[in-house]
Amino acid sequence: MTEINVESNKKQRIENTQTREVEDEHITCTICSEVWTSGGEHCLVSLKCGHLFGKSCIARWITERAQKLGDKKTFCPICMKPARLNDIRIVVPIKLVVKDTAEINLLKKEVEMKKSKICEYQNTLELARLSLNLSKRELKRAQDTLL
Ligand SMILES: [Zn+2]
Ligand SMILES: [Zn+2]
């Protein structure tokens, strides 16, 4: 009986560590450890402090605290700074994506340009090589004629 408990405790501990790792990457809701949805109940929202949560989770968190502590004593679960229901702002990541895409497109264009430059240089190099070979052959022929 005791052994089984130890095993399950160990398993529990491992699971906890894994959850913490995911949280460290700041890609999931700190309250429920689930990913954010692009809209609806668990969409991405921020508080005044800038911390991010799923809307339904942080709304529930603040409401529960407000009931226990009063409206004016609610706080962010991460940094403990004051946070009200009114502070919840929906974060629209599309703007970031657009900016990123613009930057990526710019970089892509740059890479394309560099690539075509490399092509040009390669062509020039190839031509130079050919003319070098020609010159070598001519030189050899000239030497043969001399000998
Ligand atoms: Zn959540
Ligand atoms: Zn915070």
Side-chain angles (χ1 to χ4, degrees):
M1 197 62 185
T2 328
E3 258 173 52
I4 291 165
N5 274 344
V6 169
E7 268 312 299
S8 80
N9 274 348
K10 219 185 274 173
K11 207 181 157 212
Q12 190 70 42
R13 223 172 302 147
I14 290 166
E15 275 166 10
N16 282 345
T17 321
Q18 280 169 347
T19 316
R20 218 167 295 139
E21 271 170 21
V22 172
E23 279 173 7
D24 281 347
E25 289 171 23
H26 297 292
I27 53 161
T28 54
C29 172
T30 328
I31 297 171
C32 69
S33 298
E34 292 290 324
V35 290
W36 299 298
T37 53
S38 52
E41 282 283 281
H42 203 249
C43 65
L44 183 61
V45 298
S46 76
L47 295 175
K48 252 185 199 167
C49 56
H51 283 123
L52 302 170
F53 307 92
K55 191 170 90 181
S56 51
C57 287
I58 192 62
R60 198 186 328 122
W61 161 275
I62 292 179
T63 312
E64 277 171 10
R65 293 301 172 294
Q67 278 164 6
K68 276 186 216 163
L69 309 164
D71 271 351
K72 287 180 181 158
K73 286 189 176 168
T74 49
F75 53 90
C76 165
I78 297 175
C79 66
M80 308 295 168
K81 280 186 186 148
R84 314 273 161 73
L85 275 176
N86 286 341
D87 296 333
I88 296 177
R89 292 284 176 276
I90 291 173
V91 176
V92 187
I94 288 164
K95 278 178 190 163
L96 283 174
V97 173
V98 169
K99 190 173 173 257
D100 283 349
T101 314
E103 258 165 45
I104 287 167
N105 280 344
L106 240 142
L107 287 174
K108 268 188 194 160
K109 233 177 252 174
E110 219 168 280
V111 169
E112 266 335 290
M113 264 166 60
K114 293 259 155 73
K115 260 190 202 162
S116 72
K117 264 273 179 269
I118 288 170
C119 255
E120 251 173 57
Y121 288 142
Q122 270 173 342
N123 281 342
T124 317
L125 184 66
E126 200 53 43
L127 272 173
R129 234 182 240 150
L130 276 175
S131 85
L132 178 67
N133 276 345
L134 259 170
S135 304
K136 265 188 196 162
R137 224 174 290 160
E138 264 168 40
L139 183 66
K140 184 97 173 47
R141 212 177 296 148
Q143 278 173 337
D144 284 348
T145 327
L146 279 177
L147 287 172

